[in-house]
Amino acid sequence: MDKKIFVTQPLLPALSDVEAELAQIWASKWLTNMGAKHNELETKLKDVLKVPNVSLFNNGTIALLVAIKALNLPAGSEVITTPFTFAATPHCIAWNDLKPVFCDIEPNTMTIDADKIEALITPNTSAILGVHVYGFPCDVEKIDAIARKHNLKVIYDAAHAFSTEVNGRSIGTYGDITMYSFHATKLYNSIEGGCLTYNNPDLVRKIYNLRNFGIRSEELVEEVGINGKMNELQAAIGLLNLKLFKNEQEKRAKVKAFYDAGLKDVKGIRIPQMPSTATNSYQYYPIVIEDDYPLSRNEVYEKFKEQNILTRKYFYPACHDYECYKNDLAVKLADLSVVDDLKNKVLCLPYYGDLEEEVQSIILNRIKYGFRS
Ligand SMILES: Cc1ncc(COP(=O)(O)O)c(C=O)c1O
């Protein structure tokens, strides 16, 4: 390829629309601190995400940090989570002075294996943090039952699951709090940004405080908060992209159908399947390169790279391999055999609405014919 093909391309509103938004912001002279655009986006997202409460943030990581903080988990307690995720997930647990306990994953959806959670529960466990990785939903019903039985809190990282529904219900209504990321690489973006969604109205005040230095009013600082506020420029991009994301999903659905049809009978290539109860966010297109494919995942990655096609080894290394976690005794003793297998086999293919059909065909044929041509 003459030009580099990236794994994704950001959803971008028309520049003229951005200019019109900027003109309004300039006229208002209000750039941040829960401004008009911020409040409009918060209201609109309740409808789009079909959730009762939304709190916007400057990025998904700060949102997740605050979500964990808001639940007042006992100091030093354990949070059971998946190692097959982006660094932010376990780091947010650790930054809250809690201990991430890594659980193995389920081979199809690659989300935390709900059947392996109970064996990891100790008197010190306070919460479960699941990730709807690539947009595949965790087994939310099973996790909910475990949490109720053991009196645990449940947090979800839905950074990849914008608009996902399970059994006709928004993914953002499961568990105690759900985090969405609106980073530029996400299906729906506000350049950087994110939000928390939750059912419990008592959390509104708590989360507002935590993302705004604990400040309630000019002379009242109620608690120890940080700065998690989304600014007006981010919110304006978010408002414009709200009008565009469905069309992007439709375009990605076509790319998916093309990849699916072309790859379904290729020996050694497995396409993880969305459960029939869930809708697709169209965030990523992961394939699993099994042992009976002629090349390893790393070889496929390198072959594509030589041709200027940049796939991603999401998630390699897995989080339990990081320098900051790997020496923990529990990590050394943990059975993470599924994740240790899949971290060497999963590859995310270029996946965005404007991916040219010619490029899609090249990608498909390279995989189909084992890079022989
Ligand atoms: C699974 C997951 N969790 C958390 C994050 C962090 O979100 P942000 O980049 O908005 O801070 C990301 C991506 O960036 C992610 O992919």
mmCIF file of all heavy atoms in Angstrom, residues 97-135:
data_model
loop_
_atom_site.group_PDB
_atom_site.id
_atom_site.type_symbol
_atom_site.label_atom_id
_atom_site.label_comp_id
_atom_site.label_asym_id
_atom_site.label_seq_id
_atom_site.Cartn_x
_atom_site.Cartn_y
_atom_site.Cartn_z
ATOM 1 N N ASP A 97 -5.785 2.481 45.430
ATOM 2 C CA ASP A 97 -5.202 1.695 46.528
ATOM 3 C C ASP A 97 -5.973 0.418 46.802
ATOM 4 O O ASP A 97 -6.126 -0.011 47.947
ATOM 5 C CB ASP A 97 -5.076 2.541 47.812
ATOM 6 C CG ASP A 97 -3.920 3.517 47.696
ATOM 7 O OD1 ASP A 97 -2.969 3.201 46.943
ATOM 8 O OD2 ASP A 97 -3.979 4.587 48.318
ATOM 9 N N LEU A 98 -6.476 -0.175 45.734
ATOM 10 C CA LEU A 98 -7.143 -1.472 45.823
ATOM 11 C C LEU A 98 -6.298 -2.469 45.043
ATOM 12 O O LEU A 98 -5.407 -2.073 44.279
ATOM 13 C CB LEU A 98 -8.555 -1.378 45.237
ATOM 14 C CG LEU A 98 -9.457 -0.335 45.911
ATOM 15 C CD1 LEU A 98 -10.656 -0.032 45.038
ATOM 16 C CD2 LEU A 98 -9.901 -0.809 47.287
ATOM 17 N N LYS A 99 -6.612 -3.746 45.196
ATOM 18 C CA LYS A 99 -5.765 -4.760 44.567
ATOM 19 C C LYS A 99 -6.506 -5.423 43.408
ATOM 20 O O LYS A 99 -7.538 -6.064 43.618
ATOM 21 C CB LYS A 99 -5.407 -5.810 45.621
ATOM 22 C CG LYS A 99 -4.410 -6.829 45.170
ATOM 23 C CD LYS A 99 -4.063 -7.704 46.371
ATOM 24 C CE LYS A 99 -3.560 -9.074 45.995
ATOM 25 N NZ LYS A 99 -2.492 -9.134 45.071
ATOM 26 N N PRO A 100 -5.969 -5.282 42.178
ATOM 27 C CA PRO A 100 -6.607 -6.023 41.080
ATOM 28 C C PRO A 100 -6.304 -7.513 41.205
ATOM 29 O O PRO A 100 -5.152 -7.899 41.400
ATOM 30 C CB PRO A 100 -5.948 -5.448 39.808
ATOM 31 C CG PRO A 100 -4.818 -4.597 40.253
ATOM 32 C CD PRO A 100 -4.826 -4.483 41.749
ATOM 33 N N VAL A 101 -7.339 -8.329 41.129
ATOM 34 C CA VAL A 101 -7.172 -9.792 41.141
ATOM 35 C C VAL A 101 -7.609 -10.271 39.766
ATOM 36 O O VAL A 101 -8.770 -10.104 39.384
ATOM 37 C CB VAL A 101 -8.033 -10.435 42.249
ATOM 38 C CG1 VAL A 101 -7.996 -11.958 42.154
ATOM 39 C CG2 VAL A 101 -7.556 -9.971 43.617
ATOM 40 N N PHE A 102 -6.660 -10.840 39.012
ATOM 41 C CA PHE A 102 -6.963 -11.163 37.616
ATOM 42 C C PHE A 102 -7.652 -12.523 37.488
ATOM 43 O O PHE A 102 -7.192 -13.520 38.033
ATOM 44 C CB PHE A 102 -5.681 -11.144 36.782
ATOM 45 C CG PHE A 102 -5.081 -9.758 36.693
ATOM 46 C CD1 PHE A 102 -3.845 -9.470 37.257
ATOM 47 C CD2 PHE A 102 -5.769 -8.735 36.050
ATOM 48 C CE1 PHE A 102 -3.296 -8.194 37.168
ATOM 49 C CE2 PHE A 102 -5.237 -7.448 35.958
ATOM 50 C CZ PHE A 102 -3.996 -7.182 36.529
ATOM 51 N N CYS A 103 -8.729 -12.521 36.737
ATOM 52 C CA CYS A 103 -9.528 -13.723 36.491
ATOM 53 C C CYS A 103 -9.375 -14.094 35.019
ATOM 54 O O CYS A 103 -9.255 -13.202 34.159
ATOM 55 C CB CYS A 103 -10.987 -13.379 36.809
ATOM 56 S SG CYS A 103 -12.140 -14.741 36.561
ATOM 57 N N ASP A 104 -9.426 -15.370 34.721
ATOM 58 C CA ASP A 104 -9.277 -15.795 33.321
ATOM 59 C C ASP A 104 -10.502 -15.376 32.501
ATOM 60 O O ASP A 104 -11.517 -14.939 33.056
ATOM 61 C CB ASP A 104 -9.083 -17.310 33.255
ATOM 62 C CG ASP A 104 -8.236 -17.714 32.049
ATOM 63 O OD1 ASP A 104 -7.870 -16.840 31.235
ATOM 64 O OD2 ASP A 104 -7.933 -18.929 31.914
ATOM 65 N N ILE A 105 -10.386 -15.518 31.187
ATOM 66 C CA ILE A 105 -11.455 -15.039 30.309
ATOM 67 C C ILE A 105 -12.153 -16.201 29.613
ATOM 68 O O ILE A 105 -11.637 -17.322 29.548
ATOM 69 C CB ILE A 105 -10.916 -14.039 29.255
ATOM 70 C CG1 ILE A 105 -9.820 -14.685 28.377
ATOM 71 C CG2 ILE A 105 -10.398 -12.786 29.944
ATOM 72 C CD1 ILE A 105 -9.377 -13.824 27.201
ATOM 73 N N GLU A 106 -13.294 -15.866 29.057
ATOM 74 C CA GLU A 106 -14.122 -16.839 28.338
ATOM 75 C C GLU A 106 -13.634 -16.842 26.883
ATOM 76 O O GLU A 106 -13.387 -15.778 26.313
ATOM 77 C CB GLU A 106 -15.579 -16.355 28.499
ATOM 78 C CG GLU A 106 -16.647 -17.306 28.126
ATOM 79 C CD GLU A 106 -16.914 -17.287 26.647
ATOM 80 O OE1 GLU A 106 -16.893 -16.203 26.038
ATOM 81 O OE2 GLU A 106 -17.117 -18.382 26.098
ATOM 82 N N PRO A 107 -13.448 -18.050 26.269
ATOM 83 C CA PRO A 107 -12.754 -18.095 24.974
ATOM 84 C C PRO A 107 -13.475 -17.418 23.809
ATOM 85 O O PRO A 107 -12.818 -16.946 22.890
ATOM 86 C CB PRO A 107 -12.614 -19.595 24.680
ATOM 87 C CG PRO A 107 -12.968 -20.303 25.921
ATOM 88 C CD PRO A 107 -13.718 -19.377 26.818
ATOM 89 N N ASN A 108 -14.799 -17.361 23.802
ATOM 90 C CA ASN A 108 -15.469 -16.726 22.656
ATOM 91 C C ASN A 108 -15.543 -15.213 22.800
ATOM 92 O O ASN A 108 -15.018 -14.475 21.960
ATOM 93 C CB ASN A 108 -16.870 -17.304 22.429
ATOM 94 C CG ASN A 108 -17.568 -16.555 21.295
ATOM 95 O OD1 ASN A 108 -17.009 -16.354 20.218
ATOM 96 N ND2 ASN A 108 -18.776 -16.083 21.543
ATOM 97 N N THR A 109 -16.166 -14.726 23.878
ATOM 98 C CA THR A 109 -16.323 -13.271 24.010
ATOM 99 C C THR A 109 -15.055 -12.597 24.541
ATOM 100 O O THR A 109 -14.915 -11.381 24.443
ATOM 101 C CB THR A 109 -17.479 -12.906 24.960
ATOM 102 O OG1 THR A 109 -17.157 -13.417 26.266
ATOM 103 C CG2 THR A 109 -18.809 -13.493 24.496
ATOM 104 N N MET A 110 -14.168 -13.384 25.121
ATOM 105 C CA MET A 110 -12.902 -12.888 25.672
ATOM 106 C C MET A 110 -13.101 -11.923 26.845
ATOM 107 O O MET A 110 -12.187 -11.183 27.223
ATOM 108 C CB MET A 110 -12.044 -12.277 24.557
ATOM 109 C CG MET A 110 -11.678 -13.327 23.517
ATOM 110 S SD MET A 110 -10.800 -12.693 22.097
ATOM 111 C CE MET A 110 -12.156 -12.101 21.110
ATOM 112 N N THR A 111 -14.319 -11.929 27.390
ATOM 113 C CA THR A 111 -14.608 -11.145 28.604
ATOM 114 C C THR A 111 -14.316 -12.015 29.821
ATOM 115 O O THR A 111 -14.132 -13.233 29.695
ATOM 116 C CB THR A 111 -16.092 -10.717 28.634
ATOM 117 O OG1 THR A 111 -16.893 -11.909 28.581
ATOM 118 C CG2 THR A 111 -16.438 -9.824 27.455
ATOM 119 N N ILE A 112 -14.331 -11.407 31.004
ATOM 120 C CA ILE A 112 -14.065 -12.144 32.246
ATOM 121 C C ILE A 112 -14.968 -13.385 32.302
ATOM 122 O O ILE A 112 -16.163 -13.314 31.981
ATOM 123 C CB ILE A 112 -14.300 -11.207 33.464
ATOM 124 C CG1 ILE A 112 -13.826 -11.837 34.762
ATOM 125 C CG2 ILE A 112 -15.751 -10.770 33.589
ATOM 126 C CD1 ILE A 112 -13.719 -10.835 35.916
ATOM 127 N N ASP A 113 -14.378 -14.535 32.671
ATOM 128 C CA ASP A 113 -15.155 -15.781 32.711
ATOM 129 C C ASP A 113 -15.948 -15.831 34.018
ATOM 130 O O ASP A 113 -15.380 -16.090 35.088
ATOM 131 C CB ASP A 113 -14.190 -16.980 32.603
ATOM 132 C CG ASP A 113 -14.957 -18.283 32.427
ATOM 133 O OD1 ASP A 113 -16.149 -18.332 32.811
ATOM 134 O OD2 ASP A 113 -14.369 -19.246 31.906
ATOM 135 N N ALA A 114 -17.236 -15.602 33.898
ATOM 136 C CA ALA A 114 -18.086 -15.510 35.104
ATOM 137 C C ALA A 114 -18.052 -16.806 35.916
ATOM 138 O O ALA A 114 -18.214 -16.783 37.139
ATOM 139 C CB ALA A 114 -19.515 -15.150 34.708
ATOM 140 N N ASP A 115 -17.802 -17.940 35.240
ATOM 141 C CA ASP A 115 -17.756 -19.215 35.968
ATOM 142 C C ASP A 115 -16.488 -19.364 36.809
ATOM 143 O O ASP A 115 -16.380 -20.290 37.601
ATOM 144 C CB ASP A 115 -17.849 -20.391 34.979
ATOM 145 C CG ASP A 115 -19.235 -20.475 34.362
ATOM 146 O OD1 ASP A 115 -20.201 -20.066 35.042
ATOM 147 O OD2 ASP A 115 -19.345 -20.917 33.209
ATOM 148 N N LYS A 116 -15.522 -18.485 36.603
ATOM 149 C CA LYS A 116 -14.269 -18.590 37.366
ATOM 150 C C LYS A 116 -14.144 -17.501 38.430
ATOM 151 O O LYS A 116 -13.133 -17.426 39.124
ATOM 152 C CB LYS A 116 -13.078 -18.522 36.397
ATOM 153 C CG LYS A 116 -13.026 -19.731 35.456
ATOM 154 C CD LYS A 116 -11.820 -19.696 34.547
ATOM 155 C CE LYS A 116 -11.790 -20.942 33.648
ATOM 156 N NZ LYS A 116 -10.815 -20.806 32.555
ATOM 157 N N ILE A 117 -15.176 -16.670 38.544
ATOM 158 C CA ILE A 117 -15.075 -15.544 39.488
ATOM 159 C C ILE A 117 -15.180 -16.034 40.936
ATOM 160 O O ILE A 117 -14.366 -15.648 41.794
ATOM 161 C CB ILE A 117 -16.168 -14.484 39.200
ATOM 162 C CG1 ILE A 117 -15.860 -13.767 37.873
ATOM 163 C CG2 ILE A 117 -16.268 -13.472 40.350
ATOM 164 C CD1 ILE A 117 -16.919 -12.763 37.441
ATOM 165 N N GLU A 118 -16.151 -16.908 41.212
ATOM 166 C CA GLU A 118 -16.422 -17.264 42.624
ATOM 167 C C GLU A 118 -15.212 -17.883 43.308
ATOM 168 O O GLU A 118 -14.977 -17.641 44.493
ATOM 169 C CB GLU A 118 -17.640 -18.188 42.715
ATOM 170 C CG GLU A 118 -18.923 -17.369 42.678
ATOM 171 C CD GLU A 118 -20.141 -18.140 43.164
ATOM 172 O OE1 GLU A 118 -20.590 -19.009 42.397
ATOM 173 O OE2 GLU A 118 -20.637 -17.858 44.279
ATOM 174 N N ALA A 119 -14.417 -18.639 42.556
ATOM 175 C CA ALA A 119 -13.230 -19.275 43.155
ATOM 176 C C ALA A 119 -12.210 -18.232 43.620
ATOM 177 O O ALA A 119 -11.337 -18.527 44.443
ATOM 178 C CB ALA A 119 -12.586 -20.210 42.127
ATOM 179 N N LEU A 120 -12.317 -17.022 43.115
ATOM 180 C CA LEU A 120 -11.340 -15.983 43.472
ATOM 181 C C LEU A 120 -11.826 -15.077 44.601
ATOM 182 O O LEU A 120 -11.093 -14.216 45.081
ATOM 183 C CB LEU A 120 -11.027 -15.116 42.237
ATOM 184 C CG LEU A 120 -10.395 -15.848 41.054
ATOM 185 C CD1 LEU A 120 -10.300 -14.929 39.838
ATOM 186 C CD2 LEU A 120 -9.007 -16.365 41.425
ATOM 187 N N ILE A 121 -13.074 -15.291 45.028
ATOM 188 C CA ILE A 121 -13.630 -14.420 46.079
ATOM 189 C C ILE A 121 -13.043 -14.809 47.442
ATOM 190 O O ILE A 121 -12.996 -15.991 47.800
ATOM 191 C CB ILE A 121 -15.174 -14.512 46.088
ATOM 192 C CG1 ILE A 121 -15.725 -13.933 44.772
ATOM 193 C CG2 ILE A 121 -15.763 -13.760 47.286
ATOM 194 C CD1 ILE A 121 -17.232 -14.065 44.611
ATOM 195 N N THR A 122 -12.572 -13.802 48.171
ATOM 196 C CA THR A 122 -12.047 -14.003 49.526
ATOM 197 C C THR A 122 -12.802 -13.042 50.451
ATOM 198 O O THR A 122 -13.561 -12.192 49.967
ATOM 199 C CB THR A 122 -10.532 -13.649 49.605
ATOM 200 O OG1 THR A 122 -10.424 -12.219 49.503
ATOM 201 C CG2 THR A 122 -9.733 -14.297 48.508
ATOM 202 N N PRO A 123 -12.571 -13.131 51.775
ATOM 203 C CA PRO A 123 -13.240 -12.165 52.674
ATOM 204 C C PRO A 123 -12.863 -10.724 52.337
ATOM 205 O O PRO A 123 -13.528 -9.768 52.763
ATOM 206 C CB PRO A 123 -12.733 -12.567 54.063
ATOM 207 C CG PRO A 123 -12.283 -13.985 53.914
ATOM 208 C CD PRO A 123 -11.806 -14.150 52.502
ATOM 209 N N ASN A 124 -11.790 -10.554 51.569
ATOM 210 C CA ASN A 124 -11.282 -9.216 51.233
ATOM 211 C C ASN A 124 -11.822 -8.660 49.925
ATOM 212 O O ASN A 124 -11.477 -7.548 49.532
ATOM 213 C CB ASN A 124 -9.758 -9.318 51.103
ATOM 214 C CG ASN A 124 -9.082 -8.371 52.048
ATOM 215 O OD1 ASN A 124 -9.710 -7.432 52.520
ATOM 216 N ND2 ASN A 124 -7.804 -8.610 52.288
ATOM 217 N N THR A 125 -12.604 -9.483 49.215
ATOM 218 C CA THR A 125 -13.094 -9.031 47.905
ATOM 219 C C THR A 125 -14.211 -8.012 48.098
ATOM 220 O O THR A 125 -15.133 -8.238 48.896
ATOM 221 C CB THR A 125 -13.642 -10.240 47.103
ATOM 222 O OG1 THR A 125 -12.631 -11.245 47.063
ATOM 223 C CG2 THR A 125 -14.014 -9.824 45.688
ATOM 224 N N SER A 126 -14.123 -6.908 47.359
ATOM 225 C CA SER A 126 -15.171 -5.888 47.500
ATOM 226 C C SER A 126 -15.938 -5.637 46.209
ATOM 227 O O SER A 126 -17.041 -5.090 46.243
ATOM 228 C CB SER A 126 -14.566 -4.566 47.977
ATOM 229 O OG SER A 126 -13.582 -4.119 47.062
ATOM 230 N N ALA A 127 -15.354 -5.992 45.052
ATOM 231 C CA ALA A 127 -16.032 -5.644 43.797
ATOM 232 C C ALA A 127 -15.547 -6.513 42.644
ATOM 233 O O ALA A 127 -14.512 -7.180 42.727
ATOM 234 C CB ALA A 127 -15.778 -4.173 43.461
ATOM 235 N N ILE A 128 -16.339 -6.458 41.572
ATOM 236 C CA ILE A 128 -15.972 -7.092 40.295
ATOM 237 C C ILE A 128 -15.951 -5.976 39.260
ATOM 238 O O ILE A 128 -16.866 -5.159 39.206
ATOM 239 C CB ILE A 128 -17.024 -8.159 39.881
ATOM 240 C CG1 ILE A 128 -17.136 -9.246 40.951
ATOM 241 C CG2 ILE A 128 -16.688 -8.759 38.515
ATOM 242 C CD1 ILE A 128 -18.380 -10.132 40.797
ATOM 243 N N LEU A 129 -14.869 -5.957 38.471
ATOM 244 C CA LEU A 129 -14.800 -4.958 37.388
ATOM 245 C C LEU A 129 -14.683 -5.707 36.063
ATOM 246 O O LEU A 129 -13.628 -6.252 35.738
ATOM 247 C CB LEU A 129 -13.585 -4.026 37.595
ATOM 248 C CG LEU A 129 -13.609 -2.662 36.892
ATOM 249 C CD1 LEU A 129 -12.386 -1.838 37.252
ATOM 250 C CD2 LEU A 129 -13.822 -2.682 35.414
ATOM 251 N N GLY A 130 -15.779 -5.772 35.315
ATOM 252 C CA GLY A 130 -15.779 -6.458 34.023
ATOM 253 C C GLY A 130 -15.564 -5.472 32.891
ATOM 254 O O GLY A 130 -15.876 -4.283 33.025
ATOM 255 N N VAL A 131 -15.031 -5.968 31.793
ATOM 256 C CA VAL A 131 -14.811 -5.128 30.607
ATOM 257 C C VAL A 131 -15.558 -5.758 29.436
ATOM 258 O O VAL A 131 -15.374 -6.941 29.149
ATOM 259 C CB VAL A 131 -13.301 -5.036 30.273
ATOM 260 C CG1 VAL A 131 -13.076 -4.169 29.030
ATOM 261 C CG2 VAL A 131 -12.516 -4.489 31.455
ATOM 262 N N HIS A 132 -16.373 -4.964 28.758
ATOM 263 C CA HIS A 132 -17.080 -5.462 27.567
ATOM 264 C C HIS A 132 -16.121 -5.335 26.383
ATOM 265 O O HIS A 132 -16.272 -4.463 25.513
ATOM 266 C CB HIS A 132 -18.363 -4.670 27.345
ATOM 267 C CG HIS A 132 -19.260 -4.603 28.546
ATOM 268 N ND1 HIS A 132 -19.728 -5.732 29.181
ATOM 269 C CD2 HIS A 132 -19.765 -3.544 29.242
ATOM 270 C CE1 HIS A 132 -20.501 -5.368 30.208
ATOM 271 N NE2 HIS A 132 -20.526 -4.062 30.264
ATOM 272 N N VAL A 133 -15.142 -6.213 26.378
ATOM 273 C CA VAL A 133 -14.000 -6.035 25.472
ATOM 274 C C VAL A 133 -14.420 -6.203 24.005
ATOM 275 O O VAL A 133 -15.194 -7.107 23.683
ATOM 276 C CB VAL A 133 -12.860 -6.999 25.902
ATOM 277 C CG1 VAL A 133 -13.201 -8.454 25.668
ATOM 278 C CG2 VAL A 133 -11.548 -6.646 25.253
ATOM 279 N N TYR A 134 -13.923 -5.324 23.158
ATOM 280 C CA TYR A 134 -14.285 -5.261 21.724
ATOM 281 C C TYR A 134 -15.785 -5.045 21.507
ATOM 282 O O TYR A 134 -16.283 -5.203 20.385
ATOM 283 C CB TYR A 134 -13.910 -6.554 20.973
ATOM 284 C CG TYR A 134 -12.517 -7.059 21.174
ATOM 285 C CD1 TYR A 134 -12.299 -8.353 21.644
ATOM 286 C CD2 TYR A 134 -11.409 -6.290 20.862
ATOM 287 C CE1 TYR A 134 -11.014 -8.847 21.810
ATOM 288 C CE2 TYR A 134 -10.120 -6.779 21.032
ATOM 289 C CZ TYR A 134 -9.945 -8.051 21.509
ATOM 290 O OH TYR A 134 -8.681 -8.555 21.679
ATOM 291 N N GLY A 135 -16.522 -4.772 22.564
ATOM 292 C CA GLY A 135 -17.981 -4.641 22.455
ATOM 293 C C GLY A 135 -18.724 -5.925 22.789
ATOM 294 O O GLY A 135 -19.956 -5.938 22.813
#
